[in-house]
Amino acid sequence: MRLKPRAENYHPTFKVKKNLNLTALIGQISKGFAAIEDKRRQTHSRYKQHDVMMAALSCMFFQEPSWLQFQHELQDNLHDNNLTHLFHVNQLPKESQCRDILDNIDSEHYRGIFNTLFEQVRTDKQLEAFRSPLTATGLFYVPMDGTQYHSSKKVSCPSCLTKKHGKGDVTYQHQVLQGAIMHPDCRQVIPLMPEPILNSDGEKKQDCEHNAAKRFLTQLRQDHPRLPLLIGGDGLFSDGPIIQHARALNMHYLFTCKPGDHSYLMEWLNAYDKWPWQQHTDEKGKTHRYRWRNQVPLSAQKDAPQVNYLEYEMLKDNTIVYRGSWVTDIEITLSNCWRLIQTGRCRWKIENECFNTLKNQGYHLTHNFGHGKQHLSHNMYLSTLLAFFLHQLLELCDEAYQQCRTVFCSKKSLWERIRQLLSLFIIDDWYWLFDWCLDPKHTRFTLVDIATV
Ligand SMILES: [Zn+2]
């Protein structure tokens, strides 16, 4: 059966944005994938590279662990499937063929797609919700963090990082340095093209998060030359080389600074005899106290950068329940220190809203979709992240999706319904699909036999 709106009665309760809507965004991704050169010998290629890339994305988008079985069944029964209509997949590929083709696609091709989506968010003014008023132009806070998405003692490829254990055992891993734009007052995040942490040919030393961070920042500046950025990260990044690199790229920084890692800086700070705390108590009875020093040396090294140090404690019933400290190049004042603390504290979102969601909330990030010999593992991560990006945009600014979320008690149940509908009916339009979820009596829709249309 095929879903059709009743022409005389079709008045949806939501507005669809002109450019930042799911149909247009998926269309843009499809266009980007279609533009990637297919280096295979065409005579041997049954499935198009574009179809495989879109199918992988759709699989992550629908959070469907059994690849695209639900659409293959539809294709077998109705000789049509929803990926053709909703994801521009002309010919539905099988999982094994997808793996081989995806393995050969250079992951860098995904960069343009992330940048295209980002540009849509920016031109639609949705990025403004993420701008922090820490400088005259405002800054976009981009914390970066490493995460692992593959770990195995058996499955490996030449790019795998290796970890040797006692009796000659080796664990093979893939990691990535991920950055995302976030804001203390905004639940959603805008993911950016990540930097893989992997071994390359001829390198004797293993790649690491620190080196990947330098590459990530260089690339971020190339991708977004004029974006005013505040880079965040944990204590691993509060050292001279990363700080100098960020400043050379015209980026501000706000990195966690663990006192135990910076004894020289701590000695310097403790030499001040009077260093009073500022404090306030919030409506929940929690006391927040903070103090800072501008222009202190990060370390004893000759070329050590001068940093501004900020320390914060949260107390409940006179007990410290949270403690944080950061270094930044932004001059700390009474008027901006609370904003800096809130910004620094929202770094947890990259772990929680980004990585935990990808790993634990339906995306099956660490599920073994296959590892490949070259790029498969990382390309699956990128497909997952792209799907997550689309979901974040739906939540951030798509009225139809937002209405659907209020009707269903959980995100999980909404997506179950979407998969269920798409496994039974052919639905040609994303917004008909959302509207059908919102229209339980189906007054705005009718089902017609597929043979009659
Ligand atoms: Zn590998």
Side-chain angles (χ1 to χ4, degrees):
M1 299 296 269
R2 186 177 221 111
L3 186 75
K4 285 277 165 201
R6 293 179 204 272
E8 72 288 359
N9 200 18
Y10 189 62
H11 305 293
T13 55
F14 49 78
K15 276 202 194 106
V16 178
K17 280 181 173 287
K18 195 171 163 226
N19 296 314
L20 203 65
N21 67 68
L22 198 52
T23 312
L25 292 172
I26 289 177
Q28 292 228 354
I29 296 174
S30 167
K31 210 169 133 194
F33 284 167
I36 299 170
E37 189 195 349
D38 189 344
K39 290 185 175 161
R40 296 170 302 154
R41 283 166 52 202
Q42 295 300 319
T43 46
H44 293 287
S45 321
R46 187 175 161 213
Y47 292 105
K48 278 191 176 165
Q49 184 176 273
H50 161 273
D51 286 358
V52 166
M53 294 177 90
M54 289 306 284
L57 171 64
S58 70
C59 181
M60 301 308 174
F61 186 84
F62 293 124
Q63 308 190 346
E64 172 57 43
S66 64
W67 195 243
L68 298 164
Q69 193 53 37
F70 75 134
Q71 291 307 300
H72 281 289
E73 283 166 14
L74 207 59
Q75 180 70 38
D76 291 344
N77 296 333
L78 301 181
H79 308 292
D80 199 356
N81 72 79
N82 282 304
L83 295 199
T84 305
H85 306 282
L86 301 180
F87 271 96
H88 306 260
V89 177
N90 294 313
Q91 201 181 2
L92 198 59
K94 292 264 182 335
E95 186 178 355
S96 57
Q97 284 130 347
C98 281
R99 285 179 181 168
D100 292 345
I101 296 168
L102 275 175
D103 196 26
N104 286 306
I105 299 170
D106 185 346
S107 306
E108 265 301 303
H109 285 307
Y110 284 82
R111 181 176 301 282
I113 310 290
F114 277 91
N115 290 343
T116 301
L117 293 195
F118 184 89
E119 200 46 29
Q120 283 299 334
V121 178
R122 195 187 65 76
T123 50
D124 197 74
K125 306 259 186 284
Q126 295 298 325
L127 207 57
E128 287 311 301
F130 295 86
R131 198 187 285 265
S132 275
L134 283 163
T135 59
T137 52
L139 292 175
F140 296 103
Y141 178 54
V142 177
M144 50 183 183
D145 201 2
T147 191
Q148 180 179 299
Y149 61 88
H150 168 76
S151 177
S152 169
K153 288 206 163 74
K154 291 178 189 154
V155 182
S156 71
C157 72
S159 306
C160 273
L161 298 171
T162 54
K163 209 171 165 185
K164 296 193 170 82
H165 306 280
K167 293 174 188 165
D169 281 359
V170 180
T171 303
Y172 299 96
Q173 297 174 335
H174 275 241
Q175 294 172 13
V176 75
L177 196 281
Q178 182 68 59
I181 293 187
M182 49 191 72
H183 187 277
D185 303 332
C186 193
R187 202 179 152 72
Q188 289 76 34
V189 306
I190 304 289
L192 299 160
M193 175 75 178
E195 180 65 30
I197 308 173
L198 44 78
N199 290 330
S200 49
D201 289 347
E203 287 285 331
K204 283 190 181 146
K205 229 176 138 199
Q206 292 219 66
D207 196 13
C208 65
E209 201 172 324
H210 198 267
N211 285 344
K214 282 191 190 169
R215 299 195 301 271
F216 171 78
L217 293 180
T218 305
Q219 199 60 61
L220 179 61
R221 190 37 97 210
Q222 270 180 31
D223 291 344
H224 306 286
R226 288 189 299 277
L227 202 65
L229 292 166
L230 174 67
I231 305 298
D234 65 17
L236 181 70
F237 304 120
S238 57
D239 67 3
I242 295 277
I243 285 177
Q244 278 151 356
H245 190 61
R247 292 302 295 138
L249 293 166
N250 197 21
M251 296 167 171
H252 298 280
Y253 64 86
L254 176 67
F255 294 131
T256 297
C257 173
K258 291 179 185 158
D261 297 340
H262 294 275
S263 50
Y264 183 80
L265 173 64
M266 290 303 126
E267 274 173 37
W268 185 280
L269 290 164
N270 289 331
Y272 290 102
D273 32 337
K274 273 192 188 158
W275 196 20
W277 293 94
Q278 305 285 333
Q279 72 173 55
H280 72 264
T281 302
D282 66 22
E283 66 279 7
K284 289 180 183 159
K286 284 181 190 149
T287 301
H288 305 272
R289 63 183 194 189
Y290 28 90
R291 56 183 186 171
W292 64 89
R293 282 282 170 196
N294 289 316
Q295 292 296 298
V296 286
L298 182 68
S299 74
Q301 283 177 340
K302 221 166 67 190
D303 58 350
Q306 294 281 305
V307 297
N308 306 323
Y309 176 84
L310 173 61
E311 196 167 286
Y312 163 71
E313 289 174 351
M314 181 164 74
L315 295 94
K316 198 169 184 207
D317 304 325
N318 289 324
T319 308
I320 296 171
V321 291
Y322 178 89
R323 182 180 270 140
S325 45
W326 299 270
V327 286
T328 177
D329 62 308
I330 295 172
E331 187 187 4
I332 306 165
T333 63
L334 185 59
S335 63
N336 71 10
C337 68
W338 185 238
R339 169 61 59 182
L340 281 166
I341 291 163
Q342 285 178 312
T343 305
R345 285 195 70 193
C346 89
R347 190 177 67 81
W348 64 269
K349 286 190 194 194
I350 195 157
E351 183 61 37
N352 204 48
E353 302 290 305
C354 201
F355 297 146
N356 274 354
T357 310
L358 291 177
K359 286 177 183 172
N360 303 323
Q361 291 183 27
Y363 289 93
H364 315 282
L365 180 60
T366 49
H367 178 289
N368 190 8
F369 277 108
H371 193 79
K373 297 186 183 81
Q374 294 188 75
H375 310 294
L376 178 61
S377 190
H378 192 51
N379 287 348
M380 290 311 273
Y381 174 82
L382 292 169
S383 302
T384 311
L385 193 68
L386 215 44
F388 172 73
F389 196 163
L390 291 174
H391 290 158
Q392 292 290 293
L393 294 183
L394 286 177
E395 284 180 27
L396 182 71
C397 57
D398 193 291
E399 235 181 87
Y401 180 82
Q402 286 168 348
Q403 286 187 18
C404 284
R405 280 289 286 114
T406 61
V407 171
F408 288 80
C409 61
S410 71
K411 224 185 280 184
K412 200 173 162 216
S413 57
L414 169 62
W415 283 99
E416 270 169 15
R417 170 63 63 87
I418 287 175
R419 282 195 298 270
Q420 189 188 34
L421 293 175
L422 291 177
S423 67
L424 295 171
F425 311 115
I426 297 294
I427 303 175
D428 300 77
D429 188 298
W430 282 108
Y431 290 90
W432 295 353
L433 172 66
F434 290 141
D435 202 17
W436 212 33
C437 292
L438 289 169
D439 180 25
K441 291 184 182 157
H442 308 144
T443 53
R444 297 195 282 274
F445 291 96
T446 181
L447 287 167
V448 292
D449 195 314
I450 203 146
T452 66
V453 285

